[in-house]
Amino acid sequence: MRSRRRPEYPRQDTVESLSVEEQNATIHERLGSGGSKEVYDIEIAGQHYAIGICGIQDAPDRMVEKWKIVLQEPANTQHLRERDFLVNELCDIRPTAVNGTHFPGIIMKRYQDLPFRVFDGKNVGREGVSLISKDTQLND
């Protein structure tokens, strides 16, 4: 699987091996990537999941800053769940190793495995299904 990277920060840019909680995972495809993480469709013991791992497009110190924010996603998801919002049924931090490097990853159900449709996109200028007008001013 190829990942995006900036040439001024050369490093390995493919996922050669992946494990979650010390279980080997098979990568089927990259589901998406953004400014903070890359998400892959993986299989562990016959079950499919989505796993979010740290993106590598920034300098290492910036990657650490962004990943600290990403690690708040499970708590934020739980906060929304408690207020009866439809959210991913699984959003947990799990010990992960990519190419032998250990760090916390985020495991989730894949969107197609959820009992509702998901529209995931913060960039309203992108092509595809639009739920929000491109003229709408959004913030975080």
Side-chain angles (χ1 to χ4, degrees):
M1 297 276 120
R2 279 208 110 16
S3 302
R4 296 181 316 177
R5 68 178 168 85
R6 290 176 47 187
E8 61 267 28
Y9 302 110
R11 67 181 119 257
Q12 184 172 348
D13 66 349
T14 58
V15 178
E16 301 295 332
S17 66
L18 176 70
S19 66
V20 178
E21 295 182 313
E22 298 185 10
Q23 293 185 52
N24 289 333
T26 301
I27 299 171
H28 290 284
E29 67 178 307
R30 187 173 76 182
L31 297 172
S33 63
S36 57
K37 69 180 174 282
E38 296 184 357
V39 179
Y40 292 88
D41 176 347
I42 63 168
E43 184 176 346
I44 302 171
Q47 295 287 345
H48 279 264
Y49 300 95
I51 187 80
I53 61 174
C54 188
I56 62 167
Q57 67 274 9
D58 293 306
D61 57 333
R62 182 69 178 129
M63 288 167 46
V64 169
E65 288 175 30
K66 286 182 174 183
W67 201 245
K68 286 178 184 177
I69 294 168
V70 170
L71 291 177
Q72 296 173 26
E73 287 182 13
N76 292 340
T77 299
Q78 181 61 31
H79 180 79
L80 293 172
R81 184 180 296 115
E82 290 167 357
R83 283 146 185 82
D84 296 324
F85 282 89
L86 290 175
V87 295
N88 201 314
E89 298 167 2
L90 174 63
C91 184
D92 290 330
I93 298 170
R94 301 281 172 89
T96 304
V98 177
N99 301 336
T101 300
H102 295 269
F103 65 92
I106 296 184
I107 195 161
M108 302 161 280
K109 276 195 166 186
R110 300 177 309 166
Y111 288 165
Q112 65 261 43
D113 298 330
L114 294 170
F116 51 86
R117 290 180 69 192
V118 176
F119 297 89
D120 181 21
K122 293 174 277 216
N123 183 352
V124 295
R126 238 187 202 180
E127 295 292 321
V129 178
S130 178
L131 296 177
I132 301 169
S133 166
K134 293 180 182 181
D135 299 326
T136 304
Q137 296 298 313
L138 300 175
N139 61 35
D140 291 342

